[in-house]
Amino acid sequence: MTDDNHVVERAGWAPVRHFAGRSVAGLAAVVLAGLGFGLLLLLVRGNWTPLRELDQSIAEGMNNLVAPHPAVVKVITTITSLGGRGVLIPLVTMVVLWLLIRRRPRLAIYLAVTGLGAMILDPSLKALVGRLRPVVADPVAFGGGNSFPSGHTLGATIVWGSLALVLLSATRGRWKGAILAVAALIIVTVGLTRIALSVHFLSDVLAGWLLGLAWISITAYAFRVWRREAGHPVPPVTDGLEPEASADLEPAPAEEKVLPHPWAKGAEILVGWVFTFGVLYFVGYAFTNWTNDTAFGSWDEGVNRWLQTFRTERLDYLSWLASKAGDTHAILMICLVVCPLALALWRQWRPIVFIVLTMAGELTLFLTSAAAVGRPRPPVEQLDGQMPTSSFPSGHIAATMCVWVAIAVVVMPRVRQWWRYVFLALAVLMPALVAVSRMYRGMHHPTDVLGAALLTACWVGALYLIVRPNERAVTVSEAALVVRQQQEQRPVAV
């Protein structure tokens, strides 16, 4: 057995000095961050005049600079949302689910606890300090609650910083620097946008950065102690929190080329898009110009008039809810939830590419065909008011059909349990629900629903033949087994 003296004799004192240096530097960073935040807290609580005047002058100067430019305000507001709870909470939730699916509960607990700390620290300190937000001449944004510290800055620092520490385990070489650089850029930019919008003082943002850095350092140290007590080696910080999790953190470690011959596949996809557009244009033109004075046209408009006879205040509200299930925000949210979970479960990019291409094609086909056909809305009261697009095909119904059909296509061969048929049922029930609600609300003819069905059948069918999302479909356990076999075949570093 080798004792510490023999280790020193063999390796020299350099590793010991490096370890000591890194430890002292890390401790100094935590102490300085904590002291800096404590100093700011005392100065703000004591209403120190020089700091108050500096904060107010910067807030007024930024307001005078930004307020006259609405486009700049829009860009800054979009960027600042990266530190809002509406982004951070779903982001942390999805990553925690990803880690649990990939059987990395220790990292999931670390991320959840670290993120929970941000949710507790922000309102607690704001209530303790009770500082009012900046008052400027021409406000361009408004923030709720007190000002110190900046909640967006604190949340961005903690969440994006902790995500970077988790992702470091899955990368090597230059990618580690890229991850840290992106996280730092988001953290700094979010803080600066809070000052630019004049919803926080400079000292609020500085406090958010310092407190966030201190909290990340504390939780990362606690995680490393947890590893040591569990008998695991403690790696350098640059290797991430759990280097042995690299294979499980890689999105698709066992997948080869996503699409062979990508240029040829791209050309095939373009042909499929043009074919689908041609079908939609021909059918839409026929319904718009050749059926108006026929019995078929009278029936098409009569369905909307008949549905009008059932209108009540309660049914109007229920139809509005059903219609919202097919709008852009709902469809985007479904894709943002399903795609990461599918990637975490089956470790394949091809089904994700299939879903993304399905929805991108649906959107472009709907917009172009609706503009080309130009069909008027039904001649009844339209509960949703004037819409910017024409009636054929229905965008709500087409989006609902495409997303649920694409999900069912991906799930059915990869799930062997009985509940896979739930997705098949959703692929039928959800479009039917949205279709009835859109016709009830006077927004679409029955033939517009047919147009949505044609779009789905042609486009999803073409993508299925071209992309072949189920060519190497595997279950969750089979995907994990492939990765485990790859890990066993890798040479061991010495």
Side-chain angles (χ1 to χ4, degrees), residues 128-300:
L128 174 66
V129 178
R131 188 186 201 185
L132 297 178
R133 291 184 181 267
V135 178
V136 292
D138 189 13
V140 296
F142 300 92
N146 294 317
S147 187
F148 185 93
S150 166
H152 279 65
T153 306
L154 177 64
T157 304
I158 291 175
V159 171
W160 291 104
S162 58
L163 282 175
L165 290 178
V166 170
L167 292 177
L168 283 177
S169 302
T171 55
R172 299 178 181 86
R174 291 178 300 176
W175 288 107
K176 292 183 182 293
I179 288 176
L180 293 175
V182 170
L185 179 63
I186 294 174
I187 291 168
V188 172
T189 306
V190 168
L192 294 178
T193 59
R194 305 309 287 169
I195 302 172
L197 292 172
S198 299
V199 292
H200 280 291
F201 295 110
L202 171 64
S203 54
D204 300 335
V205 173
L206 290 175
W209 283 332
L210 292 171
L211 182 60
L213 175 61
W215 178 243
I216 290 177
S217 302
I218 291 170
T219 54
Y221 175 76
F223 185 86
R224 290 162 71 83
V225 171
W226 184 12
R227 280 180 59 87
R228 187 183 299 115
E229 291 176 347
H232 297 284
V234 180
V237 176
T238 53
D239 289 343
L241 296 173
E242 209 163 61
E244 64 270 20
S246 59
D248 290 321
L249 294 179
E250 289 181 36
E255 191 174 42
E256 298 176 357
K257 285 188 175 181
V258 179
L259 290 178
H261 311 295
W263 290 105
K265 291 294 184 182
E268 292 175 8
I269 291 171
L270 180 60
V271 170
W273 191 96
V274 172
F275 171 77
T276 305
F277 173 78
V279 171
L280 290 173
Y281 179 74
F282 174 78
V283 175
Y285 184 87
F287 286 150
T288 304
N289 297 282
W290 299 344
T291 63
N292 291 334
D293 299 326
T294 65
F296 182 80
S298 300
W299 170 85
D300 200 24

Side-chain angles (χ1 to χ4, degrees), residues 90 94 97 330-343 407:
M94 289 303 303
L97 286 175
I331 298 300
L332 180 61
M333 185 59 63
I334 292 170
C335 292
L336 290 176
V337 170
V338 169
C339 288
L341 289 181
L343 187 58
I407 291 171

Side-chain angles (χ1 to χ4, degrees), residues 242-417:
E242 209 163 61
E244 64 270 20
S246 59
D248 290 321
L249 294 179
E250 289 181 36
E255 191 174 42
E256 298 176 357
K257 285 188 175 181
V258 179
L259 290 178
H261 311 295
W263 290 105
K265 291 294 184 182
E268 292 175 8
I269 291 171
L270 180 60
V271 170
W273 191 96
V274 172
F275 171 77
T276 305
F277 173 78
V279 171
L280 290 173
Y281 179 74
F282 174 78
V283 175
Y285 184 87
F287 286 150
T288 304
N289 297 282
W290 299 344
T291 63
N292 291 334
D293 299 326
T294 65
F296 182 80
S298 300
W299 170 85
D300 200 24
E301 294 181 356
V303 172
N304 295 102
R305 295 192 180 93
W306 175 68
L307 288 172
Q308 267 198 315
T309 62
F310 296 96
R311 285 184 179 176
T312 63
E313 185 175 348
R314 181 171 179 78
L315 286 179
D316 288 354
Y317 176 70
L318 291 176
S319 69
W320 177 81
L321 290 177
S323 182
K324 295 295 287 183
D327 71 3
T328 303
H329 295 91
I331 298 300
L332 180 61
M333 185 59 63
I334 292 170
C335 292
L336 290 176
V337 170
V338 169
C339 288
L341 289 181
L343 187 58
L345 286 167
W346 299 303
R347 307 173 189 245
Q348 293 178 329
W349 279 111
R350 189 173 292 201
I352 311 305
V353 171
F354 172 70
I355 294 176
V356 171
L357 287 176
T358 296
M359 301 318 300
E362 182 279 326
L363 179 61
T364 55
L365 283 165
F366 156 64
L367 292 175
T368 53
S369 57
V373 173
R375 188 183 196 187
R377 300 276 175 175
V380 297
E381 182 188 2
Q382 297 161 16
L383 297 182
D384 291 340
Q386 198 70 25
M387 301 295 289
T389 55
S390 64
S391 187
F392 184 95
S394 168
H396 281 65
I397 303 168
T400 308
M401 284 184 178
C402 281
V403 73
W404 288 110
V405 168
I407 291 171
V409 166
V410 168
V411 170
M412 289 298 288
R414 291 174 169 83
V415 177
R416 306 289 164 78
Q417 291 80 5

